[in-house]
Every structure is written in structure tokens, then in C-alpha cells.
Amino acid sequence: FGVDMVVNLKLAGDGGEEINSGQPRLIDVLPDGMRLNGADIAEPDLAGALAPLVDAEDDIIVLRAIDGAVLQRLVDTVSALEAQGFASFVMVE
């Protein structure tokens, strides 16, 4: 059995916050890959490509699971980004 973990995600429209300020930061999580702002990107390159798009630690990164991606892929993506110092995520449909 796995170890429980907590992933802090906000849902779009939750709490009336502005979802995005500054440059777009949309990550599409696919079953076998991902896209950053519509462009295919290798998973190991994601944090490096995302860094110049974020001005502050609390800048929101928007995640969207598409094309049948399972929830675990989304959780793994958030965990990897948190390990790289990114802290604020919103999930959209």
C-alpha cells in the first residue's frame, strides 16, 4: 500500500481569486506526455521551461488533465513541480 500525501490544489473559480496574472502557465497533462502553453514538452524539461514564466513563488500554475490522463499523472506532476520550488496550483477542466 502507498503512503498518503496531500496535494494542495485549488479549483478554478474557488474563492474568487484571480486565476492568472502575468504570462500564461497552462500545463496539459496527457496520458503519455504533457504540453506547456500548447507546446509539447518532455517531462524532465518542464520545470526549466516554466521557471521564466513565473515571477514569484505564489504565481499560479494552471493544470489540466486531458485525453484520459489519470489523476495519478496530475499528482505526480504537481509533486515534481513542488520539489522544484513551485507552490501554487489550480486545476481546471
Side-chain angles (χ1 to χ4, degrees):
F1 294 106
V3 177
D4 289 340
M5 64 181 282
V6 174
V7 175
N8 293 319
L9 287 176
K10 296 181 181 184
L11 299 176
D14 186 28
E17 297 176 9
E18 183 178 333
I19 291 183
N20 191 21
S21 61
Q23 299 185 54
R25 298 174 293 272
L26 172 63
I27 300 170
D28 287 326
V29 179
L30 301 125
D32 59 357
M34 56 185 51
R35 293 185 204 120
L36 175 59
N37 295 331
D40 289 333
I41 188 162
E43 293 180 44
D45 300 333
L46 181 61
L50 193 56
L53 304 176
V54 177
D55 295 324
E57 183 179 287
D58 62 345
D59 280 352
I60 295 172
I61 298 167
V62 181
L63 297 132
R64 175 173 60 184
I66 60 172
D67 296 339
V70 296
L71 179 60
Q72 188 60 52
R73 293 256 314 130
L74 187 72
V75 170
D76 291 344
T77 301
V78 169
S79 295
L81 291 172
E82 284 180 326
Q84 295 294 320
F86 299 99
S88 190
F89 305 94
V90 171
M91 188 175 86
V92 297
E93 280 189 274

